[in-house]
Amino acid sequence: MYKEAFLAALTVFICYGGNWLFGQSMIERPLVVGCIAGLIFGDMRTGIIMGASLEAIFMGAVDIGGALSAEPVTATVLATTFSIVLNVNDKAALALAVPIGVLAAFISMFMKNVVMNLFAPLVDKYAKENNPRAIAIMHYSMWFINYFIFSLITFFSVLKGAKPVQQLVNSIPDNLMAGLAATGGLLPAVGFAILMRMLWSKQLAPYFFLGFVLVAYLELPSVAVAVLGIILVLVTSFKDKQLLDIENKQKELEMRPTVSASGAAAGSESEQEEEDFFS
Amino acid sequence: MKMNENISKEDRKMLNGIFWRSFTVFASRAGATKAHAPGFMYSVAPALNRYYKDDPEGRREAYMRHTTWYNITQNVGTFVMGLVASMEKKNAEEKDFDAESIVALKTSLMGPLSGIGDSIFWGVIRVIAAGVGISLAAQGSVLGPILFLLIYNIPAILTRYYLTYMGFSLGSSFIEKIYANGSMKILNKAASTLGLIMIGSMTASMVKFESKLSVPIAGGKPIEIQTYFDQLFKGLVPLGITLLCYWLLSKKVNVNWILLGVLVFAIIMGLLGVV
């Protein structure tokens, strides 16, 4: 199992660490991770198909400002490893992926927000010493340390967990399995709630429900929803822009007399304007 | 591009340096208080090293300024990096430039830029890319992951590149102008609108809850609870749970508790035979 454990940990390191080293290029998403894990364990097709199912489950799991609802890399790698190497059936492997992802997210957030705090004083120190080289070295070392420690989790999970997982999967009763599968269906809700938290306002809330109905009832694919959304946004933005131009012009008109003449004259002029408006 | 016209060769070299370094901006995370400050310092180093070449004291102060919390969606964050480069240049040249304004502007842009960036990149482009990728990958085709990466990364990298240049050439006066005349508001509103539509659509397609509960009726067909839910409003339960999660988040409940709650809820539903 040492070889498999090492390979699985390497996949986590490449995909998770690589994603953040190369501009969040999405190689941490299950679609890609499944493919790579499949390639490494010699069954790419299974890996890709597992990746597709997991991508849908972890759709809402994006790292936004350090708040993470589920960590997809460890979950995908372990699920794919269990499925290909241990021959755990796909459904069970997918169900296990969800609790693994949530647990991994706890650990990842703890590492990044708490453990890595150890380096915060060094940031100040090197800045004070005017030492860009040290900052660069520290920057890359922190990257390595964080993702190296993180991939150890996968190493030991495969090494020590392989047998228990097999026994566990065999002994899980059907209704618990159904419950685990249901967690996969509900998990995206938390991710979307995190996204909504940034965008929501009373005026814009109806658009959320519009998007919902477009898919729930009209069953439009996401490209169609995106195009409709863009059209809608363009139309409303043009209108907003027009309104804004009018507003700005009005402000300018109001400003001008105050600049050129005294306050009294400006007052009477705006009164005049108001009278015109109501007549 | 018009904005690249009055950029000198050295400027170009510096901006390309920032562009390439910016890929690693989130590689390290120095805890919750500084977040990605080291990555930001590393990314703008070409500018700081260039403009404070003969002024070690100035460079020290510049580095110390940027040890504060930094976090912007990385594909649009390069705009701020270019902007900071142009302001550091001014600061190095003019003695009476207010250096604090650099950090103030940087900080004030984090919220609005991340809002726009997150909704466009996470909410729209990633979702479309994943939609195409999933449908191909579900049949076992390697084109799934490949197309997914291409559809997401091509616009992401182009945006990252051009915004580095835009931030530098447009400068802080441009930002103040679009804040003052309200264009920033329109941009933000447009991005939030699009983001909310996409999140709504994802809630409908990705959040799933189906009850297999049925009520037996003497002498007739059993009543399936799910069909009642569907007749009432399609996707009622997923929508309700998503809104509940949102409400709890807005009440400042820790996201970990919400996650745990959702997991426990689903497992209990499974044990009770509801799902």
Side-chain angles (χ1 to χ4, degrees):
Chain A
M1 263 310 147
Y2 276 102
K3 191 180 143 215
E4 284 81 2
F6 172 73
L7 288 176
L10 187 70
T11 315
V12 170
F13 188 78
I14 292 172
C15 293
Y16 200 17
N19 178 64
W20 295 98
L21 193 62
F22 298 111
Q24 219 168 352
S25 47
M26 293 290 128
I27 54 175
E28 64 158 1
R29 300 303 304 177
L31 261 177
V32 184
V33 179
C35 175
I36 293 176
L39 189 72
I40 283 182
F41 289 115
D43 186 355
M44 205 158 96
R45 208 183 132 78
T46 306
I48 292 172
I49 294 173
M50 293 273 293
S53 316
L54 286 167
E55 182 69 45
I57 294 176
F58 288 104
M59 196 70 186
V62 224
D63 190 339
I64 293 166
L68 183 62
S69 57
E71 196 276 292
V73 185
T74 309
T76 309
V77 168
L78 286 181
T80 318
T81 311
F82 291 154
S83 165
I84 296 176
V85 180
L86 302 182
N87 285 319
V88 171
N89 88 19
D90 285 3
K91 265 228 173 88
L94 288 178
L96 283 175
V98 177
I100 293 172
V102 173
L103 193 68
F106 280 122
I107 300 172
S108 177
M109 277 196 274
F110 180 75
M111 287 283 299
K112 286 186 177 179
N113 291 333
V114 182
V115 178
M116 286 294 153
N117 240 332
L118 291 173
F119 290 91
L122 282 183
V123 180
D124 290 322
K125 181 169 169 267
Y126 292 140
K128 210 176 262 173
E129 286 171 3
N130 193 2
N131 193 346
R133 231 181 95 79
I135 293 171
I137 292 171
M138 177 187 61
H139 178 53
Y140 286 110
S141 317
M142 278 163 76
W143 169 78
F144 183 80
I145 292 169
N146 184 40
Y147 294 102
F148 178 74
I149 294 177
F150 196 79
S151 46
L152 286 181
I153 301 169
T154 303
F155 181 79
F156 287 110
S157 303
V158 176
L159 198 61
K160 301 283 173 201
K163 271 219 183 90
V165 163
Q166 231 161 0
Q167 285 165 350
L168 186 76
V169 168
N170 292 336
S171 65
I172 292 178
D174 278 354
N175 51 357
L176 181 59
M177 205 60 168
L180 282 174
T183 58
L186 290 181
L187 194 70
V190 185
F192 297 146
I194 297 176
L195 276 168
M196 278 154 72
R197 185 88 184 88
M198 291 181 324
L199 307 173
W200 193 273
S201 67
K202 266 199 195 109
Q203 291 91 333
L204 298 181
Y207 291 112
F208 170 78
F209 297 97
L210 173 71
F212 188 87
V213 170
L214 283 179
V215 171
Y217 278 95
L218 302 182
E219 292 171 6
L220 292 179
S222 55
V223 176
V225 178
V227 172
L228 282 178
I230 290 168
I231 293 172
L232 197 97
V233 161
L234 285 178
V235 172
T236 48
S237 295
F238 286 140
K239 204 156 228 164
D240 285 346
K241 184 88 184 80
Q242 268 177 342
L243 272 175
L244 199 72
D245 285 344
I246 296 170
E247 237 172 70
N248 284 341
K249 220 169 230 155
Q250 230 163 21
K251 253 187 230 159
E252 238 171 72
L253 285 175
E254 276 170 26
M255 290 293 278
R256 226 170 259 158
T258 15
V259 177
S260 58
S262 68
S268 66
E269 195 156 312
S270 66
E271 267 167 40
Q272 186 79 42
E273 228 170 76
E274 249 168 65
E275 271 168 35
D276 287 348
F277 184 77
F278 286 115
S279 67
Chain B
M1 290 298 264
K2 194 177 73 194
M3 59 196 159
N4 290 359
E5 266 169 18
N6 45 14
I7 285 183
S8 72
K9 211 168 184 183
E10 288 104 75
D11 287 343
R12 197 173 292 271
K13 200 178 147 214
M14 173 193 75
L15 289 174
N16 286 343
I18 295 177
F19 164 72
W20 287 114
R21 282 169 182 241
S22 80
F23 279 87
T24 73
V25 64
F26 289 169
S28 65
R29 184 177 166 93
T33 48
K34 291 203 181 302
H36 302 292
F40 183 84
M41 290 153 80
Y42 173 71
S43 301
V44 297
L48 303 188
N49 294 347
R50 176 181 169 201
Y51 295 130
Y52 299 102
K53 209 172 186 177
D54 313 310
D55 179 11
E57 199 43 47
R59 191 173 79 167
R60 178 215 305 278
E61 275 168 20
Y63 273 112
M64 284 170 71
R65 254 200 297 282
H66 291 296
T67 56
T68 51
W69 200 80
Y70 174 81
N71 200 347
I72 301 180
T73 316
Q74 56 171 292
N75 306 309
V76 296
T78 51
F79 182 84
V80 170
M81 292 173 184
L83 185 65
V84 164
S86 79
M87 290 177 86
E88 291 289 357
K89 180 184 176 189
K90 257 192 208 154
N91 187 46
E93 285 165 356
E94 295 166 20
K95 275 280 148 275
D96 54 350
F97 189 83
D98 178 16
E100 286 310 307
S101 70
I102 301 174
V103 178
L105 192 65
K106 176 177 107 177
T107 312
S108 70
L109 282 173
M110 285 188 204
L113 275 183
S114 294
I116 294 169
D118 286 343
S119 37
I120 291 175
F121 285 99
W122 303 147
V124 183
I125 300 178
R126 183 183 61 101
V127 174
I128 293 172
V132 175
I134 289 174
S135 60
L136 283 166
Q139 295 147 21
S141 164
V142 72
L143 270 179
I146 291 175
L147 274 181
F148 166 72
L149 285 176
L150 288 180
I151 297 174
Y152 176 81
N153 279 305
I154 290 172
I157 292 172
L158 286 177
T159 310
R160 182 192 292 266
Y161 181 77
Y162 282 113
L163 285 184
T164 320
Y165 278 79
M166 264 174 83
F168 183 73
S169 53
L170 294 175
S172 54
S173 57
F174 169 76
I175 293 294
E176 274 147 26
K177 208 177 94 195
I178 69 164
Y179 257 114
N181 74 11
S183 302
M184 195 69 182
K185 247 196 199 149
I186 294 185
L187 204 61
N188 238 327
K189 189 187 152 196
S192 302
T193 308
L194 197 55
L196 280 173
I197 293 175
M198 293 309 287
I199 295 170
S201 76
M202 284 192 283
T203 305
S205 58
M206 305 279 173
V207 186
K208 292 192 183 89
F209 184 89
E210 264 187 26
S211 174
K212 60 176 189 194
L213 213 59
S214 61
V215 181
I217 288 189
K221 266 208 293 193
I223 301 171
E224 304 272 343
I225 295 285
Q226 187 60 42
T227 52
Y228 273 89
F229 279 148
D230 284 347
Q231 270 168 13
L232 204 59
F233 188 82
K234 253 192 181 176
L236 182 68
V237 180
L239 182 64
I241 288 176
T242 308
L243 290 174
L244 180 69
C245 289
Y246 167 74
W247 182 77
L248 289 171
L249 272 179
S250 66
K251 289 281 168 248
K252 303 263 186 293
V253 177
N254 189 303
V255 64
N256 294 336
W257 288 117
I258 301 175
L259 266 174
L260 215 61
V262 168
L263 286 187
V264 170
F265 170 77
I267 289 171
I268 289 177
M269 287 294 123
L271 290 176
L272 294 178
V274 178
V275 289

